[in-house]
Amino acid sequence: MGSVLVTGGAGYIGSHVMAVLAGQGRRCVCVDNFSNSSPEAVARVRSLAPGAIALYEADIRDLAALRAILAKEDCASVIHMAGLKAVGESVEFPERYHDNNVRGTQCLLEALHDSSVRRFVFSSSATVYGIPERVPLDETAPTRPQSPYGENKLEIEGVLAGLAAGDPAWRVINLRYFNPVGAHPSGTIGEDPSDIPNNLMPFVCQTAAGRRERLAIFGADYPTADGTCIRDYIHVMDLADGHVAALRALDSAADGEVMTVNLGTGRGVSVLELVNTFERVNGIRVPRVYSDRRPGDVPVCYADATRARRTMGWSARRTIEDMCRDAWRWQSRNPEGYATAS
Ligand code: NAD
Ligand code: UD1
């Protein structure tokens, strides 16, 4: 069986995907420029999983480097996760985001053109749906991204559809992730935000650890049971399993097939529910204060995860308790993330 080319493999989701693949004996070829990650993450994955991982420090916009890697390695499929992902930053620097995310993907495709790789799994996002008209969101819901980052994701999905239409040797799965949280149950790898976290779970973890004074809960007057926003949090290990299921689904897909699949649990959890669960399962306090709504937040967003079950035989298994426990194990064992001496 050929190797899996994993772009962005040193990142939060990529490191968990590689841990699962390598744990199953699949060889991974990781390409990352470490713009938002550290080689230490890959070293830790290697310590966890017996399968081989080849690591290349390279930018996906470097065509010559990608061609050299593909000529050397025997890859059968690609999981493309490399990208910039900060929504606010994408509003500030839309050209930088387009260049890295869209042009980067086009460059990767150009390099793959000369190789035998024709199976492509893409990290898309539920952010492509924008403000939901109704929930749960299934894959036929209208797409109306609200940021350059979301537009990048949709544009790449379009590029991949065009690719498979023009050359039916390709088989593509776009995975639209909902809200990935948590960490590997060993506490060895996890999410390591380089700045003050924007996302809820890393902020909760850093507040519990005393790195932040208190969590601001953005809005308590939403039209939900407890007044706080509802999201579909998905354990990163379930998400990683979803990539393995996607590779398997590509094996039995028809040539030229392009599938778009939500990866979520199908269950909405409020901000308060998540914070209270975190306190309960970890026996630690998370000081919090209610503050104004965060501009652009939607009150309720969760997936209809039926298609993933039907087409890939995948469903999320881990609970919100698992997510909170595993996120805290990673945080408490690595208070400074990968900068913490191991
Ligand atoms: P991350 O920043 O931890 O990982 C992305 C990795 O890509 C990093 O290691 C970074 O160094 C690398 N990278 C970025 N640009 C690159 C380039 N030009 N060349 C080579 N490497 C490059 O982010 P993540 O949370 O692991 O997300 C992975 C993917 O999933 C991204 O495409 C992201 O947009 C998507 N996604 C993430 C979430 C989420 O909440 N984390 C939600 C939906 C979709
Ligand atoms: C954000 C991104 C989205 C991305 C998703 C998963 C924006 C506008 N959207 O969405 O593109 O796909 O993350 O990575 O950035 N919250 C607090 N206090 C905090 C942080 C968050 O109350 O300190 C609340 C938010 O208001 C929200 C919920 O927690 O209601 C979840 O927030 P977050 O983790 O940022 O995810 P999303 O808002 O879904």
Side-chain angles (χ1 to χ4, degrees):
M1 202 187 290
S3 305
V4 185
L5 179 69
V6 184
T7 74
Y12 170 44
I13 295 166
S15 55
H16 291 81
V17 168
M18 292 206 305
V20 170
L21 285 170
Q24 296 179 359
R26 290 292 298 266
R27 187 165 182 282
C28 298
V29 175
C30 172
V31 174
D32 204 300
N33 67 358
F34 303 121
S35 57
N36 194 38
S37 57
S38 141
E40 173 64 14
V42 180
R44 300 235 189 145
V45 177
R46 282 178 168 145
S47 78
L48 275 176
I53 294 172
L55 174 61
Y56 294 92
E57 179 170 357
D59 195 294
I60 55 164
R61 292 163 296 181
D62 183 344
L63 186 58
L66 292 182
R67 282 188 168 143
I69 295 164
L70 286 161
K72 189 162 167 238
E73 299 285 351
D74 172 29
C75 294
S77 49
V78 56
I79 301 180
H80 175 38
M81 288 177 280
L84 300 175
K85 62 163 182 177
V87 176
E89 195 183 59
S90 79
V91 176
E92 209 178 335
F93 305 108
E95 292 87 3
R96 184 189 299 172
Y97 267 65
H98 195 271
D99 187 71
N100 194 85
N101 295 349
V102 181
R103 190 172 74 79
T105 303
Q106 284 163 330
C107 182
L108 172 65
L109 290 173
E110 199 174 332
L112 291 173
H113 183 77
D114 302 331
S115 79
S116 57
V117 178
R118 291 293 179 270
R119 292 174 189 195
F120 201 104
V121 177
F122 172 55
S123 295
S124 189
S125 170
T127 203
V128 298
Y129 296 118
I131 300 159
E133 266 167 19
R134 57 191 150 79
V135 286
L137 278 160
D138 69 27
E139 294 83 351
T140 65
T143 47
R144 299 191 203 94
Q146 304 289 305
S147 69
Y149 166 72
E151 285 163 9
N152 292 169
K153 292 292 184 198
L154 204 54
E155 190 175 342
I156 294 167
E157 288 190 8
V159 167
L160 294 171
L163 178 77
D167 175 1
W170 286 96
R171 303 172 183 188
V172 175
I173 298 193
N174 301 304
L175 297 176
R176 291 181 177 165
Y177 310 159
F178 278 68
N179 290 61
V181 296
H184 192 278
S186 63
T188 310
I189 54 172
E191 189 170 9
D192 184 19
S194 49
D195 241 321
I196 299 175
N198 288 315
N199 294 123
L200 179 61
M201 186 66 100
F203 207 102
V204 167
C205 285
Q206 292 192 5
T207 307
R211 267 176 82 179
R212 314 271 160 220
E213 205 177 318
R214 64 179 72 87
L215 168 77
I217 293 180
F218 299 142
D221 57 351
Y222 283 101
T224 61
D226 64 24
T228 66
C229 289
I230 288 176
R231 294 289 182 275
D232 190 338
Y233 300 98
I234 171 167
H235 197 298
V236 68
M237 294 300 291
D238 275 332
L239 197 77
D241 290 342
H243 291 73
V244 176
L247 287 178
R248 214 182 305 117
L250 284 182
D251 286 341
S252 50
D255 282 347
E257 196 165 342
V258 178
M259 289 179 261
T260 296
V261 179
N262 286 340
L263 288 187
T265 64
R267 180 172 173 247
V269 169
S270 76
V271 174
L272 258 188
E273 211 177 328
L274 184 136
V275 178
N276 290 340
T277 305
F278 187 97
E279 287 192 327
R280 178 169 53 78
V281 299
N282 295 315
I284 188 157
R285 265 179 36 74
V286 180
R288 82 279 297 263
V289 59
Y290 287 106
S291 75
D292 291 346
R293 292 181 176 196
R294 182 172 67 177
D297 270 347
V298 298
V300 181
C301 177
Y302 59 94
D304 179 330
T306 310
R307 187 183 284 182
R309 180 163 44 76
R310 291 215 178 121
T311 61
M312 312 199 308
W314 172 92
S315 302
R317 293 186 292 121
R318 291 151 178 101
T319 63
I320 196 80
E321 282 82 4
D322 296 329
M323 302 178 210
C324 290
R325 228 179 266 122
D326 292 339
W328 179 238
R329 188 176 301 108
W330 154 254
Q331 172 70 48
S332 50
R333 291 192 186 173
N334 305 272
E336 304 295 330
Y338 289 115
T340 309
S342 53

